[in-house]
Structure formats: C-alpha cells, structure tokens
Amino acid sequence: MAQRPAGRVDVRTGPAAGIEVSNTGSVVPPDTVPLLFQPFRRLNERTHAPGEGAGLGLSIVDAVARAHGGAATATANAEGGGLTVRVVFQ
C-alpha cells in the first residue's frame, strides 16, 4: 500500500477485540481482501522500490494466529482506505 501523508495506524487490544490494527491507505476492493492472505499476494504490482514489501504480511499474521489457536480476519475500510485486521484467540 502506498504511504499517505497524515495517514494513521490505530491499534486496539482487549479480551473481546483480540488484537485489531487499522490503517489508512489505498482503497482496497472488498472482494480482494481474502486474496491478500495468500503468500506473495499484493494489492498492486511490485515496482521494486526501496522498502517495498513482498506480500507476505497477512499470510504470516494468519499462520501465527492459527499456530496459537486463533483466527485472523480483515476488512476493507470504507472511509480513508486501508484495512482493518483482527486476530482473535479462542
């Protein structure tokens, strides 16, 4: 996702919420969100710019959550773009 001037990242934790991270960024079409959990899947094609990720972030989050008996989900943010990712442990 592209960097946004005055963008934000919010982190919430708690027994009911688990761990929730929400950010602003590129608009993510809701139907592409599940695909972002697959290794090396990115919203946009790589440009090979310095600091650009490889598309492993959400697949690693999902693997760690499952290894600890949890589940990871994500939703596209309607306002401000970006994603909200939640990890809940049972």
Side-chain angles (χ1 to χ4, degrees):
M1 288 191 189
Q3 292 182 352
R4 301 278 184 217
R8 68 165 222 289
V9 174
D10 297 315
V11 178
R12 293 180 11 169
T13 62
I19 302 167
E20 182 179 278
V21 178
S22 180
N23 67 359
T24 56
S26 301
V27 173
V28 180
D31 59 327
T32 65
V33 173
L35 301 176
L36 297 176
F37 281 94
Q38 297 174 9
F40 304 108
R41 291 300 293 259
R42 299 169 43 85
L43 181 60
N44 300 311
E45 291 292 321
R46 288 193 66 184
T47 60
H48 301 285
E52 185 177 50
L56 290 172
L58 288 180
S59 64
I60 292 171
V61 169
D62 186 52
V64 170
R66 285 185 289 114
H68 294 279
T73 59
T75 55
N77 296 333
E79 190 172 318
L83 288 173
T84 296
V85 178
R86 177 180 284 168
V87 177
V88 177
F89 298 98
Q90 285 86 18

